[in-house]
Amino acid sequence: MSASASLAMTHLVTLAELDEDKVTPGVLGFIVFAVMALAVWGLMKSMSRHMGKVDFKEAAEQDASGGPEAKPQRG
């Protein structure tokens, strides 16, 4: 091996050493974050679509002489 090749290998070894004081999420952390972001985006889109279908108007109550009184439903 030539001197320049051994010098290059020495520099690569120092770059590959693990620094115990430095913590990084790495590629796996990025992938997990990206999947969670896509899931939240999809859920927000779905919620927006479903909220558009909801009718917020209350049903008219029937008077006492016309029929049964409307009772609130418990769910």
Side-chain angles (χ1 to χ4, degrees), residues 34-70:
V35 167
M36 286 175 41
L38 286 173
V40 168
W41 176 77
L43 286 171
M44 291 293 289
K45 192 171 176 112
S46 174
M47 183 186 71
S48 176
R49 193 176 326 128
H50 286 324
M51 290 298 285
K53 294 178 183 178
V54 173
D55 183 21
F56 288 103
K57 296 179 183 176
E58 292 185 19
E61 293 185 20
Q62 296 179 358
D63 59 354
S65 62
E69 188 177 320

